[in-house]
Amino acid sequence: LATADEVLQEGSGAPLSQPRLLGLPLAVAMHQAWHTGFLQRSADDEKRVVLAITEGSPAAMQTLLARLGASQATDALHALGFTETHFRRGATLPGAPTSPAPQDNVTTPRDLARMLLQITEGKLVSPRAAAELQPLVADYNGRELAAAWQG
């Protein structure tokens, strides 16, 4: 079973595309967009962030990506040092002929471990955002990260 320290030290660049694991990076990107004023915070988006983290809700994530934009989400995460996380396609809008392929949006165990660590230490996002995210990410408690690490 890999610990966060092992992931950070040894690292794993193996790409992950499970919606439940992509919810956290998307939530971090949304909080960054709210913090910088790129997007105005709304109660509906706050609910979608919770659903993205706790359930990996595809509908919530697609709506958030449509509002934020895949390139903006990726750029925000890269600016924070999470360079192995990529949102390459945004959400399918109503009436669009195809939906994005899940493998187009990826993260790695290393980026996830660093995000979780920085959130729990209160270093990644504003104090308000940290207070909101910490109870949500407590559910991760290494299970998904360890499963992802083991492949």
Side-chain angles (χ1 to χ4, degrees):
L1 188 66
T3 66
D5 286 340
E6 290 170 339
V7 172
L8 290 171
Q9 289 175 3
E10 297 174 20
S12 175
L16 307 170
S17 61
Q18 297 93 325
R20 173 78 161 91
L21 296 174
L22 289 165
L24 178 62
L26 184 54
V28 169
M30 286 299 294
H31 275 278
Q32 189 68 6
W34 294 334
H35 178 72
T36 62
F38 182 79
L39 285 180
Q40 192 140 36
R41 189 178 185 111
S42 74
D44 287 340
D45 282 346
E46 289 174 353
K47 290 176 190 172
R48 290 179 188 110
V49 163
V50 170
L51 289 172
I53 292 174
T54 60
E55 298 176 17
S57 166
M61 292 174 66
Q62 284 186 348
T63 302
L64 292 172
L65 275 174
R67 293 212 359 92
L68 181 56
S71 64
Q72 179 68 23
T74 298
D75 291 348
L77 291 165
H78 287 195
L80 293 169
F82 305 109
T83 59
E84 297 173 340
T85 300
H86 307 278
F87 290 96
R88 293 190 179 103
R89 288 190 189 169
T92 299
L93 300 174
T98 61
S99 62
Q103 65 270 21
D104 286 346
N105 301 318
V106 297
T107 191
T108 63
R110 182 174 31 241
D111 270 4
L112 284 175
R114 290 180 53 243
M115 280 180 215
L116 288 167
L117 185 62
Q118 290 181 28
I119 288 169
T120 58
E121 292 175 344
K123 295 179 179 177
L124 180 58
V125 290
S126 70
R128 175 183 177 186
E132 293 170 359
L133 291 175
Q134 285 173 353
L136 299 175
V137 300
D139 182 50
Y140 275 76
N141 77 15
R143 285 180 310 216
E144 281 121 336
L145 193 56
W149 179 262
Q150 295 169 347

